[in-house]
Amino acid sequence: MKKLIFATLLALILAASPEIQGQELKLNDLEYFETQGINILVYSNMFTGGFNDEKNAGIELIHHGVRTAQGGAVRLSNTPEQWDLVPAIPTRTVNRESNSIESLQKYEDYGFDSRVVVTAKGKGVEISVYLDRPVPAELAGKAGFNLEFLPSQYWGKTYLADGRLNRFPRYVVGNTVTKPNSEKIKQYKGYITSDDRGTGHYVDPLPLETGRNFILAPEDPERRVKITSEETDLMLFDGRILAQNGWFVVRSLLPSEKTGKVLSWTVEPHAIDGWIREPNIGFSQVGYLPSQPKISVIELDKKDTPLETASIYKIDEQGKASQVFSGPIRPWGNYYKYHYVKFDFTPVNTPGIYYIQYGDLKTNNFIIDDTVYDKITDATSDIWIPIHMNHMFVREGYRVWHGEPFKEGYRQAPPGTDHFDLHWQGPTTDTKYKGMELIPGLNIGGFFDAGDFDIETGSNIGVVQNFVQTWEYFKPLRDQTFVSQEHRYVDLHRPDGTPDILQFIEHGALNLVAQSEIIGHMAQTLSNSVLYNYHHLGDAASLTDGLPYNPDLGPYEVAADGLSSGVKDDMWAFTSRNPGLDLRAATMFAAVSRALKGYNDDLSARALVQSKRLLKEATELLANIPQDNPGRRFGGSDVGTYLQLYISTGEQQYASKFQDLLWPALERNLNFVILTALEGIPHMDETYKAKLRPYVVKYKEYIDGLEKDNPYGVPIGLGNWAGSGAVVNFGTTVCFANKHFPDIVDDSHAFKTTNWLFGCHPYHNYSLVATLGATRPKEVFYGNNRADFSFIPGNVAPGILFRQPDHFENYDDWPFLWGQNEGTIGGNTSYLIFGSAFKNLIK
Ligand SMILES: [Ca+2]
Ligand SMILES: [Ca+2]
Ligand SMILES: [Ca+2]
């Protein structure tokens, strides 16, 4: 009787209360299921296989603003890794009548098709898997439906499995078994992500729990999710057993020998009644110059009501805060998921410590002072860059960042190799070396690419060019790093009498000159031969065993003299010749030769020899390439190459070629090419500058257009690698445009780049650069220390990643998504140029 009264009451409340009814999930115009606080995306973002990051795809849950679950799909293992097979999803059908999205999932290698249907059901969704034919025998007990939950949002929280109490572990400690490799589902292109030490067995995690009813994080209304399964057991796995970037996986095996609806889950994420996302108050964590424009961009929930005003408080030396400014909130408009307003506090111009107060929210403090930008490149130049010096031992105080990597050198990549990091070796080696033969002398100099340890030649060429430009434009004499090439030893915070930038130029050139001298032209890359050390985390020196591979030895055997081993962990040189790359190298070598004269005359002279030779050979090769040559992939040289060639040689033919290419390129792609055009000004005559003027006027229109494009006024990238690099380039372009055409582009636009990089951007307001001076830089980056949930100072994150159809994201508790958190040597040295140009501009 009591029960009946309760049910009646509940029905009355439901009928009367639109808020509660409003919690039902609805398919919205952007084709995902939505209620306030919950977005369930169904293949808005697709798996791609291979290099792409699969932790960004599948059925996803954005729970109170945070993307906490992803990867929902039919998968073939308990805790899939990045290189495990993913289903192709050739069709995705949105059915508005039935409030559902249906997808076809295909594993071509196994002729295995399934249909996954997600249907709005009350406050959650039903996920069903349908089979027209039973699971193929070889996938029985392997094919299942998985949904992955973000560890950093769940660890430390409890979960219930059929009422049994558990807690999600902060560190991975779980049970595994090993199984014969014959039972393992093959990985992407047959690569293998782990080293089985010759056991012939792979590791398979066992479930932490099994049941039909799971409640995740019942104590946390923002994260509570209820999952029930009708006919199949739910299992919970910890993906971090196999890979530090693994997630918590909820999984059901598909039953064997059954067809029709073989699996049905109900997934109900809790929505907080009346939830409104907390405003994100964007501002520069590094602070502001007294005289500069100061505009905070505040990101609001579309259901939020903007306040009329915000204020600035000043903190005095006794710690007392007092309001010094109050100003109006001005609407900007909607941009993707959120609404944006602006708060201009430019009138606040007294040096001091401040914070922004918006309603009940106050930001962390920031400084207004003439000195705030003085150190914005120091962490990058003193810490991040030297730590990424390859083939060196790098020490900092008590800590060793890495030992000397790759002592065994590099082997010739065998012809016809397709690599997992987007490289390939063509049908020939294009060298005098045979496949797998040691190419002596390449293990010197160069910079790690990013969070990985390969030498990306194209990138290293750009990096050395960036260093030379920084040196020639700004002459930084900063010396905080000890570098001994003789001892292959680097010590941070120990001056040695030589400007660090010269040592960086030298270090990059040592590898690139070696490539050219030894191989005869530029390699594409010096990279891993085996996938299981490509995802290496930790000391680069332990990525390989340091001993050259000896085919006469058994696997894992070390020769009696200790000088070789039977481990095939060596790095390879991918050497297919690319004359476009050679041409870029020729220009870089000419620049290196200038910069190193008087510091390392021998290397300077050798760089010049290689420059002249590569220039001649590459020019001939490029002239002889048929226009429609599909057999080889060339590229790399560009307009800027010919400018650099002219600067280096003074030969008029290169100035002509530069201009021949430049003007049409400006017509085609103004925003991308104009920086190169501006760099040409000091080397060309007055008519050149006059001819360039209208393009700068057009660029100013582009700058103004950005104010209408988005609330931040910078170019925002929507690709699968977030766009800090483009924002840095934009800033450098503005600095150079202001230098040469101050009447067209005024210096205020340069602050849009510092604002964005240092905290005024979507999602959160942390500085995307781990720079000195920032009150709250990001705390985790995708560096080689990412498994420690840490960062390397000075790193520049790609930053704010766009996820289809309307979500910007930058995790600051989960470093492992490279598209948002991985700094690169190319990106960080571009930042060095921007920072130097910016400091020059404000001087
Ligand atoms: Ca790489
Ligand atoms: Ca030095
Ligand atoms: Ca080795």
Side-chain angles (χ1 to χ4, degrees), residues 69 259 320 439 503 562:
T259 54
K320 189 171 159 292
I439 305 180
Q503 290 167 316

Side-chain angles (χ1 to χ4, degrees), residues 478-483 494-501 503:
R478 195 170 173 80
D479 171 23
Q480 286 298 314
T481 310
F482 175 94
V483 180
R494 178 189 293 278
D496 62 2
T498 304
D500 298 338
I501 192 120
Q503 290 167 316

Side-chain angles (χ1 to χ4, degrees), residues 583 639 642-643 652-662:
L583 200 59
V639 185
Y642 292 96
L643 173 63
Q652 198 52 45
Q653 54 158 327
Y654 296 124
S656 308
K657 180 91 183 181
F658 167 60
Q659 292 219 41
D660 287 350
L661 291 174
L662 175 69

Side-chain angles (χ1 to χ4, degrees), residues 76-77 79 81 84 110 138 142 179-187 191-194 201-204 242:
L76 306 181
S77 59
T79 60
E81 298 171 62
D84 281 318
Y110 296 96
E138 53 193 329
K142 296 200 162 54
K179 293 177 177 171
N181 286 343
S182 57
E183 291 178 21
K184 186 168 167 67
I185 299 292
K186 71 165 188 176
Q187 295 182 283
Y191 287 116
I192 296 165
T193 49
S194 73
H201 281 66
Y202 72 101
V203 175
D204 202 18
L242 297 184

Side-chain angles (χ1 to χ4, degrees), residues 807-821:
H807 185 68
F808 283 101
E809 158 182 299
N810 180 273
Y811 288 133
D812 197 47
D813 58 1
W814 191 253
F816 296 105
L817 297 184
W818 43 257
Q820 41 185 285
N821 282 332

Side-chain angles (χ1 to χ4, degrees), residues 421 449 452 454 456:
D421 194 7
D449 181 32
D452 53 0
D454 54 318
E456 197 73 64

